[in-house]
Each structure stands twice: as structure tokens, then as C-alpha cells.
């Protein structure tokens, strides 16, 4: 059965003009774009999204980066979406990412790593609701 994951094309992806290249990689890997928007996070919305990392030493820098410009949250659908998307993007640190993965191809470092992907079905559902209303998702259902 198809399920969903949340991707975010981060501010570095937008700044480098890589939105199209990254979405092409994603759709060529068999993911369907179910919902998408461009938005700029603020400290509150970014802090809420990354709350699980609030005690990490990199938290403040992460918020500064994620609020530094617009980003593009995308709801993706595919069988085994969460796991397959994490394989497609590669390790958090691009230096450790497999050849051919999106982070290996495009990311500069562990913080500015081009793209986010949910790490479980449960978190995917939470993260999707962070950016998209029920109405926005229902309107696109069955695309
Ligand atoms: P993401 O998959 O969006 O989830 C948490 C983010 O925190 C991660 O991608 C990176 O952008 C950032 N991050 C994780 N580990 C580190 C680290 N050691 N130093 C700086 N940033 C990090």
C-alpha cells in the first residue's frame, strides 16, 4: 500500500536554484508529489518542527539556517515512502552519504544538507500536519 513522507527542500536547495533538479530526482525514483508549497519558517515554526532536537548543541544554528530563506515542504507518496526516501537522500552528513544520493550530489555539510525526510511513519504524519491542512491534503487525494 502507498504511504506518505514529508520532504523539505531546505533554504540551501532554494538558494542554489536546485528545486527542479531535486524534484526530478524524487519523481524519477517513483515518488508522487501529493502536496507542495514554498514558505519561510520563523523561529517558532522551525523550533516546533525540530523540537526533538531542542537539547542538541546544533539546535540554534539549525534554526538560524532553516529560517534563513524560503523552503519547499512536499508531501510524497509511494510504497514504503519513508524508508525509500531516506535511501534516496542518503546519510544526514553528505560526507557519509552513498554515491548517487541527493545529499552526496548536492549538499555542502551536515547542517546545510539540501533536504529533510521523515524518519518514521508516525513522524511523517506529524510533520505533514505541521505544513499542510486536512483540506489541502484532501483536495489532492487520489491524484
Ligand atoms: P534533518 O534530516 O532535517 O534533521 C535534523 C537536522 O539537523 C539535520 O537534517 C541537519 O540539517 C541538522 N543536523 C543534524 N546533525 C547535525 C550536526 N551534527 N551538526 C549540525 N547540524 C546537524
Amino acid at each position: 500500500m502507498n504511504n506518505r513522507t514529508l520532504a523539505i527542500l531546505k533554504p540551501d536547495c532554494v538558494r542554489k536554484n536546485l528545486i527542479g533538479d531535486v524534484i526530478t530526482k524524487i519523481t524519477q525514483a517513483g515518488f508522487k508529489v501529493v502536496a507542495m508549497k514554498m514558505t519561510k519558517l520563523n523561529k517558532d515554526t522551525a523550533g516546533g518542527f525540530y523540537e526533538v532536537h531542542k537539547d542538541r548543541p546544533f539546535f540554534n544554528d539549525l534554526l538560524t539556517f532553516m529560517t534563513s530563506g524560503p523552503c519547499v515542504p512536499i508531501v510524497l507518496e509511494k510504497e514504503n515512502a519513508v524508508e525509500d526516501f531516506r535511501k534516496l537522500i542518503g546519510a544526514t552528513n553528505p560526507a557519509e552519504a552513498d554515491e548517487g544520493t541527493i545529499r552526496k550530489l548536492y549538499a555542502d555539510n551536515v547542517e546545510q544538507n539540501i533536504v529533510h525526510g521523515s524518519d518514521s511513519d508516525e513522524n511523517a504524519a506529524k510533520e505533514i500536519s505541521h505544513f499542510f491542512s486536512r483540506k489541502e491534503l484532501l483536495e489532492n487525494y487520489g491524484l
Side-chain angles (χ1 to χ4, degrees):
M1 203 192 99
N2 281 348
N3 56 16
R4 290 176 171 187
T5 191
L6 182 83
I8 306 175
L9 309 187
K10 297 185 180 185
D12 55 334
C13 182
V14 177
R15 267 194 292 275
K16 290 171 152 182
N17 215 13
L18 287 171
I19 295 174
D21 298 67
V22 173
I23 291 177
T24 297
K25 291 265 173 218
I26 293 171
T27 53
Q28 280 177 345
F31 291 86
K32 191 160 80 178
V33 173
V34 173
M36 177 164 76
K37 61 178 65 166
M38 185 180 256
T39 184
K40 191 161 182 289
L41 297 176
N42 60 38
K43 293 268 165 171
D44 285 343
T45 48
F49 184 82
Y50 279 121
E51 202 183 350
V52 300
H53 296 304
K54 69 179 188 316
D55 296 325
R56 301 285 196 95
F58 57 80
F59 184 68
N60 280 335
D61 287 345
L62 177 62
L63 294 203
T64 300
F65 165 56
M66 288 301 293
T67 58
S68 67
C71 64
V72 180
I74 309 174
V75 181
L76 296 169
E77 199 171 81
K78 185 184 179 294
E79 197 177 317
N80 209 25
V82 166
E83 202 184 321
D84 285 1
F85 190 67
R86 287 177 74 83
K87 276 192 202 138
L88 177 69
I89 64 181
T92 305
N93 185 346
E96 291 160 15
D98 288 341
E99 288 301 325
T101 59
I102 289 173
R103 285 171 171 158
K104 183 71 173 187
L105 283 167
Y106 302 122
D108 289 335
N109 57 57
V110 69
E111 176 185 81
Q112 305 205 8
N113 63 357
I114 294 285
V115 63
H116 167 84
S118 309
D119 64 2
S120 67
D121 287 345
E122 192 190 342
N123 283 339
K126 279 189 207 151
E127 291 178 3
I128 288 169
S129 66
H130 201 92
F131 288 103
F132 297 93
S133 68
R134 254 177 77 77
K135 183 167 171 287
E136 284 171 309
L137 293 168
L138 280 174
E139 274 169 356
N140 299 343
Y141 188 77
L143 265 180

